[in-house]
């Protein structure tokens, strides 16, 4: 076996590869940029080599620097992780030329599958069912229109070199193609340095189902079943699971056989993924093949018991697969939630900054389910603007899907993050939706279920009780410390108000709801003033809530339900009623920076009349350009930032009259 491997990546996946190498007794080297000098991966690896400045183009994407680091540390092989150089055939070839083993497929397989147009030609030849469309490069808008009309609307305009949800656009009409074709082409040229575009049928409301394949250098290929990744936002995966609730054994076998046939057709010799879109009727069509380890590989590991990184290392070393298709079976159900540094309450805008608190749920068996959390960060680390905004990948496994879903909902309760905005409340909302529980998935799920974005959910009956009980318990614990414990209070939750009587001692509290004539029993209370999480058992159900002090009371969040809870004396409750409701500050005349970033362009000047929807300025943050538009017709009063200026979150960029 290899005795030293270099990892040409960062963050979560670098840590993931190190863990397997350690288990196999292989020494590790990581490369790192300026921004990652103090990262967890650098701390864990046996050796670390600095390769340049923070932007990936000056560090993780520079093949020369990676090769040089291998030579310097005498590493025999390179694991590329995902993203960066992982799907660059030239890099795999360069490694081979330098006598370094690339832990991934051979360069021929990467180039055959690395391009969506070329891979569709291969797939069609291998008998794989493809999305109806035009398998070939489209020259100009006129041809795009002819092709679209032949296929029939809606169609999808795609960059052949696209990836990560970029370079994709749906067109429903002639006009959409006229606008979309040049736009996708420009985006592709900018993002991938390759402006070849093709067009295929847009399958409406499909599901994304992909097959994991694994090959060796001796011509063997097996598939490790499917993953369903239909919960997506802007064509990027957010929640994945294995197996898929849609498939039956026949469809699974048919998709698996096609994926293996395609892999064999290109002499595939590592881990890879064949992606399909599937209709609700279980029809399925090939999308593309990803010639690398996939972000969501943990769910496959959880249902097969295999370590995919280990399998990649073994096949790269030349070992034949130690099992055949018949040795493989699906065991239980696994779900992955991608925890992103983005603010769901603010249209999912990227949110970067220091992880002031980072407390994931403990990994391991939790009774009915098992928790796994793949992360590359520690408390105190910075989510920087240079790379992907993923904080971690939280997975749960259980014998059945419903237990895995409930386990995920519970594990998300126990995930506490402070600092950057994060999508944990949003993920919790999805886990609690009947449609998700029923497995009625589609790539349009988030758009269907959250048409106006996300603003939290209304408390369920259980959550309303929880908010009341937790507020009372916190108030009682604080009052007891001051020696002023009293029994009778008025609790205000949102717009509701009720009188309560508290009793109990130690870790238990009984809350008599005097107006309703029933009682709540809160036991196993684990909280003290200053703690951001409150654990307890309410009426037999264990929970964790996130709590923070607020004027006159607390803000309490359980899953996606969040409310201000006030526990007042009868007298203050009366006064509270008389207080005029405080109007929120009027920000309608301001254009605020939604996140820290860099001003790319300022598109308005003082005195200018702007129309609703017009571009006011463009901000760059987290590798993305964010266009800020006027929310109404207005005249510009002041302009407070210029191109090149760094700006903070909520900074006023433009003021209207
Ligand atoms: P996967 O296909 O492995 O499930 P994604 O589709 O989310 O994962 O991402 C595909 C690849 O593109 C990953 O290797 C990821 O690191 C990278 N990637 C994700 N988002 C972006 C982005 N905005 N720009 C460039 N690369 C990205
Ligand atoms: P990427 O390289 O960015 O992963 P893909 O071609 O795999 O691009 O597509 C990403 C996502 O876009 C898919 O998971 C699916 O949700 C959607 N998509 C792609 N092609 C189609 C299509 N023809 N019809 C409907 N949805 C599609
Ligand atoms: Mg894809």
């Amino acid at each position: 076996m290899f005795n030293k491997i270099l990892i040409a990546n960062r963050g979560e996946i670098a840590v993931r590869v190190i863990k397997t190498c350690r288990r196999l007794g292989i020494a590790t080297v990581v490369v790192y940029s300026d921004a990652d000098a103090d990262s967890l991966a650098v701390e864990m690896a046996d050796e670390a080599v600095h390769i340049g400045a923070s932007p990936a183009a000056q560090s993780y994407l520079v093949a020369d620097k990676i090769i040089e680091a291998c030579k310097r540390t005498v590493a025999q092989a390179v694991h590329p992780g995902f993203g960066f150089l992982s799907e660059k055939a030239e890099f795999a070839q360069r490694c081979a030329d330098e006598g370094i083993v690339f832990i991934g497929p051979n360069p021929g397989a990467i180039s055959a599958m690395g391009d969506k147009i070329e891979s569709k030609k291969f797939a069609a030849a291998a008998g794989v069912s493809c999305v109806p469309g035009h398998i070939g490069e489209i020259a100009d808008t006129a041809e795009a229109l002819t092709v679209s009309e032949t296929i029939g609307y809606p169609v999808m305009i795609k960059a052949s070199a696209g990836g990560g949800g970029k370079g994709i656009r749906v067109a429903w009409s002639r006009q959409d193609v006229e606008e979309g074709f040049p736009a996708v082409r420009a985006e592709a040229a900018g993002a991938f340095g390759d402006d070849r575009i093709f067009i295929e049928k847009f399958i409406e409301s499909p599901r994304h189902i992909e097959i994991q394949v694994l090959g060796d250098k001796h011509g063997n290929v097996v598939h490790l079943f499917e993953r369903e990744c239909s919960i997506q936002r802007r064509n990027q995966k957010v929640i994945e699971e294995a197996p898929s609730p849609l498939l039956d054994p026949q469809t699974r076998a048919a998709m698996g056989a096609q994926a293996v046939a395609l892999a064999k057709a290109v002499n595939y010799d590592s881990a890879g993924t064949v992606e399909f879109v599937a209709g609700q009727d279980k029809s399925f069509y090939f999308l593309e093949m990803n010639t690398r380890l996939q972000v969501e590989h943990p769910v496959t590991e959880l249902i097969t018991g295999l370590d995919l990184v280990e399998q990649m290392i073994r096949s790269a070393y030349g070992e034949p697969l130690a099992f055949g298709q018949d040795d493989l079976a699906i065991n239980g159900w696994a779900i992955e939630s991608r925890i992103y540094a983005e603010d769901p309450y603010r249209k999912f805008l990227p949110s970067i900054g220091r992880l002031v608190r980072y407390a994931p749920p403990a990994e391991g068996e939790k009774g009915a389910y098992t928790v796994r959390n793949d992360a590359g960060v520690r408390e105190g680390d910075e989510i920087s603007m240079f790379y992907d905004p993923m904080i971690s990948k939280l997975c749960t496994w259980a014998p059945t899907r419903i237990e895995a879903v409930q386990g995920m909902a519970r594990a998300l309760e126990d995930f506490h993050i402070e600092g950057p905005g994060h999508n944990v409340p949003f993920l919790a909302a999805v886990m609690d939706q009947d449609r998700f529980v029923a497995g009625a998935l589609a790539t349009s799920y988030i758009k269907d279920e959250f048409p106006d974005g996300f603003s939290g959910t209304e408390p369920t009956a259980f959550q309303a009780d929880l908010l009341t009980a937790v507020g009372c318990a916190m108030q009682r614990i604080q009052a007891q410390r001051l020696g002023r414990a009293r029994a009778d209070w008025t609790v205000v939750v949102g717009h509701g108000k009720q009188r309560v009587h508290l009793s109990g001692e130690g870790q238990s509290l009984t809350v008599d709801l005097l107006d309703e004539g029933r009682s709540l029993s809160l036991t196993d209370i684990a909280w003290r003033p200053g703690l951001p999480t409150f654990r307890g058992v309410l009426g037999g159900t264990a929970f964790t809530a996130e709590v923070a002090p607020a004027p006159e009371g607390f803000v309490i969040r359980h899953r996606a339900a969040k409310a201000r809870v006030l526990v007042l004396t009868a007298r203050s409750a009366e006064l509270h009623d008389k207080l005029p409701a405080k109007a929120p500050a009027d920000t309608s005349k301001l254009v605020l920076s939604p996140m820290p970033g860099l001003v790319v362009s300022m598109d308005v000047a003082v005195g200018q009349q702007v129309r609703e929807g017009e571009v006011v300025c463009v901000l760059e943050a987290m590798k993305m350009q964010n266009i800020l538009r006027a929310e109404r017709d207005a005249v510009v009063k002041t302009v407070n930032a210029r191109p090149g200026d760094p700006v903070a979150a909520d900074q006023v960029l433009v003021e209207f009259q």
Side-chain angles (χ1 to χ4, degrees):
M1 187 35 73
F2 300 118
N3 47 44
K4 194 190 277 187
I5 288 176
L6 182 139
I7 300 154
N9 215 302
R10 60 175 302 283
E12 168 266 316
I13 191 59
V15 169
R16 164 75 192 82
V17 177
I18 292 170
K19 283 182 181 165
T20 291
C21 289
R22 277 188 179 172
R23 192 169 55 73
L24 299 177
I26 300 169
T28 52
V29 184
V30 289
V31 292
Y32 65 94
S33 69
D34 288 349
D36 289 330
D38 296 317
S39 70
L40 178 60
V42 168
E43 179 190 300
M44 286 176 68
D46 298 306
E47 290 172 73
V49 180
H50 177 250
I51 50 163
S54 304
Q58 294 168 44
S59 47
Y60 298 106
L61 284 168
V62 185
D64 284 343
K65 295 190 175 185
I66 308 290
I67 300 287
E68 162 63 25
C70 288
K71 289 185 175 163
R72 179 133 58 96
T73 56
V74 204
Q76 299 153 300
V78 176
H79 196 300
F82 37 67
F84 300 137
L85 295 171
S86 62
E87 292 184 282
K88 299 261 186 286
E90 316 84 77
F91 178 68
Q93 186 58 53
R94 175 82 193 279
C95 288
D97 296 345
E98 302 277 356
I100 300 161
V101 177
F102 178 79
I103 303 175
N106 64 77
I110 301 179
S111 49
M113 292 292 114
D115 180 277
K116 292 187 208 255
I117 294 177
E118 292 310 312
S119 70
K120 270 177 210 278
K121 291 182 180 163
F122 261 103
V128 174
S129 49
C130 292
V131 182
H134 180 82
I135 307 183
E137 189 184 335
I138 303 216
D140 50 27
T141 306
E143 191 188 353
L145 284 167
T146 317
V147 167
S148 303
E149 252 124 66
T150 313
I151 299 170
Y153 295 108
V155 297
M156 206 148 193
I157 307 170
K158 280 193 181 181
S160 196
K166 279 196 168 181
I168 281 190
R169 192 186 272 219
V170 185
W172 297 87
S173 65
R174 261 190 94 79
Q175 198 195 340
D176 287 353
V177 175
E178 280 164 358
E179 278 175 25
F181 182 80
V184 174
R185 180 175 246 186
E187 189 186 9
F192 314 110
D194 178 341
D195 69 354
R196 286 167 312 125
I197 306 296
F198 69 102
I199 296 184
E200 66 189 15
K201 182 85 189 158
F202 174 65
I203 315 286
E204 282 180 69
S205 199
R207 302 170 71 128
H208 175 115
I209 299 180
E210 56 187 34
I211 303 283
Q212 174 72 52
V213 295
L214 186 61
D216 63 17
K217 295 190 188 302
H218 309 275
N220 304 303
V221 180
V222 296
H223 71 83
L224 304 178
F225 315 105
E226 78 280 8
R227 292 181 287 259
E228 174 151 9
C229 318
S230 296
I231 308 296
Q232 307 184 339
R233 221 172 51 75
R234 298 211 205 122
N235 301 316
Q236 291 214 50
K237 300 160 184 170
V238 181
I239 298 169
E240 302 101 335
E241 61 185 281
S244 159
L246 181 74
L247 297 197
D248 51 52
Q250 290 73 28
T251 314
R252 175 173 296 125
M255 290 178 85
Q258 288 199 4
V260 168
L262 177 59
K264 284 194 167 159
V266 291
N267 297 317
Y268 205 80
D269 55 353
S270 184
T273 295
V274 181
E275 296 190 329
F276 295 90
V277 282
Q280 302 294 342
D281 61 358
K282 299 180 193 169
S283 57
F284 57 89
Y285 308 97
F286 172 74
L287 272 185
E288 64 163 342
M289 179 166 186
N290 293 328
T291 55
R292 56 170 156 87
L293 188 67
Q294 203 90 342
V295 173
E296 59 276 18
H297 74 277
V299 291
T300 298
E301 297 186 324
L302 287 166
I303 62 154
T304 58
L306 290 168
D307 176 332
L308 283 170
V309 173
E310 174 184 347
Q311 294 302 323
M312 290 177 81
I313 294 172
R314 291 194 182 283
S315 67
Y317 191 70
E319 285 184 21
L321 286 180
F323 41 82
Q325 193 66 55
D326 294 342
D327 301 318
L328 296 164
I330 296 175
N331 173 30
W333 214 286
I335 301 188
E336 172 179 282
S337 293
R338 298 193 189 189
I339 315 281
Y340 281 119
E342 61 184 17
D343 191 341
Y345 299 102
R346 301 175 75 176
K347 299 180 179 164
F348 297 93
L349 280 165
S351 174
I352 53 184
R354 193 164 298 285
L355 288 165
V356 177
R357 277 211 172 94
Y358 171 76
E363 294 185 291
E365 246 187 85
K366 297 274 165 341
Y369 62 98
T370 302
V371 174
R372 166 173 169 180
N373 184 51
D374 284 29
V377 293
R378 299 154 297 194
E379 193 163 277
D381 285 353
E382 182 104 14
I383 302 293
S384 96
M385 62 185 278
F386 296 105
Y387 315 107
D388 258 26
M390 201 160 71
I391 300 174
S392 89
K393 304 186 308 203
L394 179 66
C395 296
T396 52
W397 176 92
T400 63
R401 184 170 188 272
I402 185 69
E403 290 166 304
V405 174
Q406 286 167 352
M408 178 60 74
R410 194 65 190 93
L412 287 165
E413 280 182 30
D414 275 319
F415 212 130
H416 181 67
I417 299 170
E418 273 176 51
H422 58 83
N423 64 343
V424 168
F426 173 75
L427 296 164
V430 175
M431 292 302 140
D432 278 340
Q433 284 181 324
D434 293 341
R435 177 171 167 193
F436 186 80
V437 171
L441 312 182
T443 56
S444 56
Y445 187 97
I446 293 179
K447 239 190 259 155
D448 300 343
E449 300 300 318
F450 302 91
D452 306 317
F454 175 77
S455 52
T457 54
E458 282 299 309
T460 60
F462 171 78
Q463 286 174 324
D465 287 350
L466 183 152
L467 293 168
T468 301
V470 170
C472 289
M474 290 169 75
Q475 175 71 332
R476 191 173 168 85
I477 291 165
Q478 285 187 345
Q480 272 167 347
R481 290 205 155 188
L482 302 171
R484 292 208 298 260
R486 49 188 297 155
D488 294 294
W489 299 93
T490 299
V491 181
V492 181
V493 180
H495 297 295
K497 196 166 119 179
Q498 58 183 334
R499 293 177 305 125
V500 300
H501 177 85
L502 309 184
S503 56
E505 52 193 50
Q507 304 332 104
S508 299
L509 174 72
T510 300
V511 182
D512 297 320
L513 306 176
L514 301 177
D515 306 316
E516 293 182 40
R518 60 187 182 100
S519 300
L520 308 175
S521 158
L522 180 60
T523 60
D524 303 272
I525 295 170
W527 182 76
R528 57 185 158 71
L531 274 190
T533 51
F534 183 112
R535 292 193 166 78
V537 175
L538 178 65
T541 302
F543 68 88
T544 308
E546 209 166 76
V547 297
E552 294 181 279
F554 316 97
V555 171
I556 302 173
R557 176 177 73 80
H558 178 255
R559 300 194 179 180
K562 186 158 121 176
R564 191 156 75 111
V565 180
L566 313 181
V567 184
L568 307 171
T569 60
R571 170 103 185 100
S572 348
E574 248 171 63
L575 288 174
H576 180 79
D577 280 348
K578 298 203 173 80
L579 284 175
K582 205 160 102 199
D586 180 13
T587 55
S588 66
K589 288 187 175 157
L590 306 175
V591 177
L592 303 175
S593 167
M595 70 204 114
L598 213 58
V599 178
V600 176
S601 69
M602 177 55 70
D603 301 82
V604 297
V606 174
Q608 188 178 330
Q609 163 81 52
V610 294
R611 300 258 163 248
E612 181 187 332
E614 223 172 278
V615 178
V616 173
C617 92
V618 180
L619 270 191
E620 186 175 289
M622 315 281 313
K623 298 187 299 185
M624 288 208 298
Q625 298 218 332
N626 300 274
I627 300 174
L628 307 186
R629 297 174 188 277
E631 285 178 12
R632 57 184 179 87
D633 296 354
V635 175
V636 177
K637 186 171 161 198
T638 63
V639 170
N640 308 312
R642 283 179 307 187
D645 284 356
V647 291
D650 290 328
Q651 187 171 326
V652 177
L653 303 175
V654 169
E655 195 183 347
F656 296 130
Q657 279 176 8

